[in-house]
Amino acid sequence: MKLACISYFLPGKENNHGPNSLIYQIIAHRRRDISIDLYLPQEILNKADSERIATIEQDLAVKIHPLCGEQPNLFQRLLSSWWPSGARLHYRIDDLLSRDYDLVWGYPFWTAPYVNRVPARKVISGMDCATLLYLRKVKACVTDHPLQIFRYSLALVMAFLFESIFLRHIKVHVVGRSDQITLKMLGVDSFYIPHPTNPIAMSDHETVRIRSARTVRILVANSLDVFYGSDTVLKWLKALFAIAPRFPGTEFEIVFHKGNAELIKKYLAREKIPNQFKMTFVGWIDNYEEFLLAIDIQIFPLDIGVGTKTSVLTALYMNVICIGTSIACENIETQSAPQHLLRADSPDEFVRQFLEAMTCLQDHTSYPLGYALSPMHSPTSSAADFWERSLS
């Protein structure tokens, strides 16, 4: 079976490569009888060196082709002025149309205009339903960023129109049940497949966690900007500072991974930080899984979208205790240790869950990797479900 995949992301298996790890896992775990030609915008390929492209082609057994741009017309310019529903409609797909594909697959949703043009069976994947994404952004604007209400209300309307028009007659794959429900309200049929975790290149047996009797290491994951949890981080930090005296003799190290350092530092300058706390800011982490072995609690202050799902899944696979908002925890299932995934949507809830996490830390039992996470998130299982639904 010959398949074309149109993507705006160069696939990557690493955890902190973001959304392109989803497409990587699905392609990597496909059936043996499926051959794939991968089409990406020329400007994306220009940013990657030839060695990396060759490695991806070899690892995934795919052939990568460029999508070349053309001069956009007035309508395309208007759409492209707003990200992401512009869908970059100014690429030529003549080469793709000239080939006889059994199925064409697009990722993310914004590739729908191209997918719809190909005379073959069609399926499309997306991390987020954009209508739900911008609905949540508008909600965040009402409480914290009123000057942005008009901008994101307009984005919400455009996302609604885009998905209602371009996704209506195509098979759609989502990794969020809330996204599936929202698309159904738009008249779009979709199927839900749990987000796969990344394969961990470590022993599947007992793993010794690096813990200190006196220091609790807290990782704050992906507090990227004001719409991805920075406001929530600041509220949770204040609550954490207030309850720290309940743990005399315990030191806390808070590590901000890819966080909005300037915003957080500005906030911390206004707060009285107990002497028990040390703050560390880190960016890209090559040995992310090994790094997690030294983390006791990971915090996911996600306000919108499903953007940190891979990070949550990886932390749970490493048996790190996770505290996140309902949005961060949705569509994730634990298996043997439900106490490893704790939900908090307010500072008071965060305090209760943090105290629960501290109680759990008293148990120094060493579990095998994946003990806390449901096998439904296995890349092999998730990819198999995707291909069965897509090719049926």
Side-chain angles (χ1 to χ4, degrees):
M1 175 173 287
K2 194 174 181 181
L3 183 146
C5 176
I6 306 172
S7 173
Y8 289 164
F9 298 95
L10 194 63
K13 63 182 177 180
E14 291 84 357
N15 174 71
N16 44 1
H17 266 197
N20 47 10
S21 64
L22 174 68
I23 188 173
Y24 187 99
Q25 299 306 333
I26 292 176
I27 293 176
H29 294 90
R30 68 185 184 270
R31 288 178 359 197
R32 290 179 178 271
D33 63 330
I34 298 175
S35 65
I36 295 180
D37 287 338
L38 182 59
Y39 291 84
L40 295 107
Q42 182 67 65
E43 59 263 34
I44 299 297
L45 296 177
N46 290 341
K47 296 176 182 178
D49 59 69
S50 58
E51 182 178 351
R52 183 183 176 193
I53 294 174
T55 299
I56 292 174
E57 288 184 319
Q58 180 177 355
D59 289 349
L60 294 180
V62 300
K63 178 63 178 176
I64 295 178
H65 303 272
L67 287 175
C68 298
E70 60 184 0
Q71 188 66 29
N73 58 37
L74 181 61
F75 175 71
Q76 291 168 343
R77 287 178 183 274
L78 178 64
L79 286 180
S80 297
S81 66
W82 175 80
W83 185 92
S85 288
R88 305 169 181 83
L89 294 171
H90 55 282
Y91 292 120
R92 298 193 304 271
I93 61 170
D94 302 342
D95 181 52
L96 192 153
L97 291 171
S98 66
R99 301 170 186 262
D100 187 20
Y101 290 108
D102 299 294
L103 182 142
V104 59
W105 169 35
Y107 181 84
F109 287 166
W110 319 121
T111 57
Y114 300 110
V115 172
N116 278 313
R117 291 173 57 188
V118 181
R121 285 189 293 172
K122 305 172 181 66
V123 65
I124 199 160
S125 299
M127 289 290 288
D128 299 292
C129 164
T131 301
L132 178 60
L133 176 84
Y134 285 104
L135 183 62
R136 286 172 169 171
K137 280 196 174 186
V138 170
K139 181 180 178 182
C141 288
V142 170
T143 56
D144 298 312
H145 312 284
L147 295 179
Q148 299 285 345
I149 291 177
F150 176 78
R151 175 187 176 187
Y152 287 102
S153 294
L154 178 60
L156 172 62
V157 172
M158 297 186 71
F160 169 81
L161 293 173
F162 182 92
E163 293 180 334
S164 298
I165 296 171
F166 287 104
L167 301 185
R168 185 173 293 274
H169 302 294
I170 199 168
K171 188 177 288 187
V172 174
H173 156 236
V174 294
V175 295
R177 294 195 184 278
S178 298
D179 301 85
Q180 184 182 28
I181 292 171
T182 305
L183 288 173
K184 184 177 181 180
M185 294 172 64
L186 299 179
V188 176
D189 289 330
S190 62
F191 61 93
Y192 164 75
I193 302 294
H195 196 301
T197 188
N198 292 319
I200 307 298
M202 303 179 72
S203 171
D204 287 331
H205 303 291
E206 297 258 335
T207 298
V208 178
R209 300 196 58 78
I210 307 170
R211 281 181 174 161
S212 166
R214 287 178 50 85
T215 303
V216 174
R217 299 192 75 200
I218 303 169
L219 180 62
V220 181
N222 288 41
S223 52
L224 297 175
D225 58 45
V226 290
F227 287 113
Y228 287 89
S230 290
D231 286 351
T232 303
V233 169
L234 305 184
K235 294 173 184 176
W236 286 5
L237 283 178
K238 187 173 182 177
L240 186 57
F241 295 156
I243 65 171
R246 299 190 194 183
F247 305 97
T250 300
E251 297 178 350
F252 298 93
E253 181 180 358
I254 301 180
V255 182
F256 297 93
H257 178 217
K258 297 193 295 186
N260 189 326
E262 294 305 315
L263 177 65
I264 294 171
K265 287 178 180 178
K266 181 179 179 181
Y267 167 80
L268 294 177
R270 302 197 304 263
E271 288 295 314
K272 183 178 181 180
I273 304 175
N275 294 330
Q276 294 168 265
F277 287 87
K278 174 185 176 183
M279 306 291 172
T280 305
F281 296 84
V282 298
W284 184 273
I285 302 173
D286 290 323
N287 55 341
Y288 189 74
E289 289 79 21
E290 291 185 16
F291 174 77
L292 286 176
L293 286 175
I295 298 299
D296 299 299
I297 300 171
Q298 190 158 359
I299 294 175
F300 297 92
L302 191 63
D303 294 331
I304 65 170
V306 295
T308 65
K309 284 296 183 286
T310 308
S311 297
V312 182
L313 291 170
T314 304
L316 286 172
Y317 190 90
M318 302 298 294
N319 300 320
V320 176
I321 298 173
C322 297
I323 305 176
T325 60
S326 294
I327 293 174
C329 295
E330 67 181 357
N331 314 310
I332 294 178
E333 292 193 19
T334 55
Q335 178 178 230
S336 304
Q339 74 275 13
H340 277 64
L341 184 62
L342 305 172
R343 302 176 188 228
D345 289 309
S346 70
D348 288 342
E349 288 181 342
F350 172 75
V351 168
R352 288 195 294 271
Q353 300 293 38
F354 185 80
L355 294 175
E356 175 68 20
M358 291 294 289
T359 300
C360 293
L361 289 179
Q362 303 305 314
D363 177 12
H364 291 283
T365 303
S366 182
Y367 301 113
L369 295 182
Y371 168 80
L373 191 63
S374 169
M376 68 181 289
H377 296 291
S378 158
T380 303
S381 173
S382 184
D385 288 345
F386 170 83
W387 291 113
E388 180 180 356
R389 297 293 296 271
S390 298
L391 300 175
S392 63

